[in-house]
Amino acid sequence: MSRIAVVGCGAVGRSVVDLAGDHGHDVVAVADSQGAAVDPAGLEAGAVLERKAAEGAVGDAAPANALTAPYDVLVEATPTTLGDAEPGFSHVARALDRDRHVVLANKGPVAERYADVREREAASRGSVLFEATVGGAIPVLGTIDDYGPERITAVRGVLNGTANFVLTRMAAEGLDYEHVLAEAQDMGVAEADPSFDVEGTDAALKCVILANVLACGEREFTLDDATVAGITRVPGSALDLAAEDGRTVRLVGEATADEVRVGPRLVPDTSPLAVSGTRNVVQVETTHADGIDLSGRGAGGPETATAVLADVGRLPPLE
Amino acid sequence: MTEPEAETDPEPDGGRGDRPQAHTIRLELADEPGELLSALEPIADEGGNLLSIFHERGHITPRGRIPVEVDLECPPSRFEGILERLRDEGINVVDADAERYGEHLTVLLVGDLVGTDISDTVTRVESSPAATVEDLSLSAPGGPAEQASARLRLATRAGAADEALGVVRTVAAEKGLSVVEPLTEVSR
């Protein structure tokens, strides 16, 4: 059992609060951008979430109070930011400075400042895990860690559900990009500003994280090192031509220890990568055991929280 | 778009002797029991070693036939004999690559294909020794002024797929076209 502090109260943070008890953990602090609730004896999840829904803030304490609460594991679930990855990076640093563990749902610190995170971790008794940053509920990083990153030659996959939904609908209905995007926005599958998803940035961040893991510290990757193309220039006619030939187009991200690429790719209809709708899929290429295909839900509050709590369970006891 | 290299051409490098080499043959078979077997037997009889058979049952040709792609290995001197034997047996051989075009890849091009002269694009790709364009499909539903798409099937020398893709990328970049590349699977 661990004592958890959750920073960031979006869909993922709320689901972590909701599901932590089911995994046998106590939530001792929750913070959003406006306030915090702290109780070293353990917060009652239902009450915290009700208050968040009713009043917008989880509690009256200052948000920073959550960072100094008596937790074992800090769950960092604030929105992903690029560049200096703040404020997420500072939250990670403060927890490690206190010799506490960190579990990230926020991609920023491990995509943009991987070496800084690892350096802080090396000086701490705490560890940093970040399964939830790649492929939602799919155990991608856990699988890589089990086999050992030095025995993985490449990871490729469909890592953005919004882009995959748009491509799937375009191919199935013969509609153009703008039309399907509007539909996806109405359904809540795409955000009002979908650029992060459809321009390939989100998939690229996930692949950058994978490349950082595969490189084992030999080289650090950031978003600037990725070659990225999105799906906005893929017309319906291209999907039609692919379909005539038994193929389809998917936004595929590829990561090795040397390279990160994201772009629309032709894949056979029968390929494991030709997943439909918002599902994600990841292929892990191993040196001695061929390819491992993993697919599942790549986004969503309970799905991502499930990956977060799996990480919490993997952490070693703090001395 | 281009005739496959005549199989009787002597290899320019000359030095490979009669070591077995990989070939790809495309056949079209009637959808009848035993057709596939009667197509494969002559290959084995003539000394060919079957590597893989891709039987596209889901894809009937406009003539109501089933396309089959056969990868085989045989000494260069035997290849012509295999083709002759297949034709003698009444098998419809639609395409027979010389071994120098051992791999195929399909790419999509997107953009102003008409305005940037699609036939010049094809010519430029073919000017590379790495690739020949076997098939081209163009779709421009919005008319010539709108964004169009093309599907190119390229045949490349064994191991030269990356080089062929590089040529396509270069030509596309010069003309402001987007390339949707095939996923190059790690060789298994």
Side-chain angles (χ1 to χ4, degrees):
Chain A
M1 188 210 78
S2 294
R3 295 170 300 166
I4 300 176
V6 180
V7 179
C9 221
V12 175
R14 292 198 303 273
S15 289
V16 171
V17 171
D18 187 29
L19 300 176
D22 181 53
H23 287 248
H25 305 300
D26 280 342
V27 177
V28 296
V30 182
D32 56 28
S33 56
Q34 297 160 57
V38 179
D39 184 345
L43 292 159
E44 211 267 292
V48 172
L49 295 174
E50 265 172 43
R51 159 131 197 200
K52 172 75 182 165
E55 300 184 31
V58 287
D60 297 324
N65 286 13
L67 295 170
T68 54
Y71 60 81
D72 305 310
V73 182
L74 180 76
V75 172
E76 219 298 334
T78 61
T80 295
T81 51
L82 304 182
D84 64 5
E86 294 292 5
F89 181 81
S90 288
H91 297 161
V92 174
R94 288 193 62 180
L96 290 173
D97 288 349
R98 290 180 61 197
D99 289 323
R100 305 300 152 94
H101 294 308
V102 177
V103 171
L104 287 162
N106 171 359
K107 293 181 273 292
V110 273
E112 295 286 65
R113 300 182 68 179
Y114 190 77
D116 288 341
V117 169
R118 287 304 197 197
E119 191 184 321
R120 294 274 186 157
E121 184 192 34
S124 170
R125 276 189 296 222
S127 303
V128 181
L129 293 178
F130 41 95
E131 178 72 82
T133 61
V134 182
I138 306 170
V140 185
L141 296 173
T143 302
I144 293 171
D145 188 53
D146 282 349
Y147 295 150
E150 66 280 12
R151 282 179 283 278
I152 307 294
T153 53
V155 180
R156 72 180 73 79
V158 171
L159 289 163
N160 186 276
T162 303
N164 204 59
F165 176 88
V166 170
L167 289 172
T168 304
R169 292 285 296 165
M170 284 173 70
E173 307 297 327
L175 298 169
D176 252 316
Y177 169 78
E178 283 80 12
H179 192 113
V180 174
L181 180 65
E183 178 196 57
Q185 285 168 326
D186 288 345
M187 292 172 64
V189 171
E191 316 231 358
D193 176 5
S195 54
F196 205 62
D197 296 311
V198 297
E199 300 289 356
T201 312
D202 174 67
L205 287 169
K206 292 164 180 170
C207 289
V208 165
I209 294 168
L210 287 165
N212 277 326
V213 170
L214 295 180
C216 300
E218 297 283 313
R219 180 176 166 191
E220 182 184 15
F221 290 85
T222 68
L223 186 59
D224 285 343
D225 300 309
T227 307
V228 187
I231 61 165
T232 56
R233 292 187 66 190
V234 178
S237 58
L239 288 158
D240 291 344
L241 287 174
E244 276 175 28
D245 198 36
R247 293 162 209 266
T248 190
V249 177
R250 287 289 175 263
L251 183 66
V252 176
E254 300 172 80
T256 68
D258 306 306
E259 191 184 20
V260 174
R261 292 212 308 166
V262 173
R265 300 269 183 272
L266 267 174
V267 298
D269 280 335
T270 52
S271 164
L273 290 174
V275 283
S276 293
T278 56
R279 278 183 85 80
N280 285 18
V281 60
V282 179
Q283 290 189 317
V284 179
E285 286 292 337
T286 68
T287 47
H288 303 301
D290 252 350
I292 312 282
D293 298 339
L294 304 162
S295 75
R297 291 184 179 269
E303 293 85 351
T304 309
T306 296
V308 166
L309 290 163
D311 268 350
V312 173
R314 288 181 183 117
L315 288 164
L318 285 167
E319 325 257 302
Chain B
M1 302 285 289
T2 298
E3 289 297 315
E5 291 292 314
E7 294 81 17
T8 47
D9 271 358
E11 276 303 295
D13 67 2
R16 279 184 285 183
D18 215 27
R19 272 197 299 124
Q21 288 170 9
H23 302 266
T24 301
I25 304 175
R26 282 160 66 83
L27 312 173
E28 285 181 359
L29 303 181
D31 190 5
E32 286 165 16
E35 272 288 302
L36 182 59
L37 186 61
S38 67
L40 298 180
E41 270 175 353
I43 296 174
D45 288 348
E46 292 294 322
N49 178 28
L50 290 167
L51 298 175
S52 76
I53 298 139
F54 187 47
H55 192 203
E56 299 179 78
R57 280 199 68 93
H59 279 208
I60 307 270
T61 70
R63 282 165 299 217
R65 291 171 163 267
I66 298 174
V68 177
E69 197 168 274
V70 180
D71 287 327
L72 62 101
E73 201 176 56
C74 69
S77 60
R78 295 282 184 102
F79 188 54
E80 195 58 29
I82 289 172
L83 296 178
E84 260 172 44
R85 179 71 192 280
L86 285 169
R87 289 176 181 130
D88 288 349
E89 301 272 348
I91 307 288
N92 186 14
V93 180
V94 292
D95 195 351
D97 297 324
E99 80 289 84
R100 51 178 300 206
Y101 291 113
E103 291 180 24
H104 296 100
L105 62 143
T106 302
V107 297
L108 298 178
L109 293 176
V110 175
D112 183 8
L113 295 166
V114 178
T116 58
D117 191 351
I118 183 70
S119 79
D120 174 69
T121 303
V122 170
T123 306
R124 298 267 308 275
V125 171
E126 291 216 307
S127 70
S128 153
T132 184
V133 178
E134 286 193 335
D135 186 49
L136 169 72
S137 297
L138 187 66
S139 175
E146 292 292 310
Q147 178 157 266
S149 302
R151 185 184 69 232
L152 271 70
R153 181 177 149 98
L154 307 177
T156 74
R157 280 181 288 116
D162 281 347
E163 194 184 334
L165 264 182
V167 174
V168 174
R169 276 187 212 130
T170 305
V171 175
E174 279 175 33
K175 298 189 173 202
L177 306 173
S178 308
V179 184
V180 178
E181 297 180 15
L183 196 65
T184 45
E185 304 277 337
V186 173
S187 56
R188 296 193 171 183

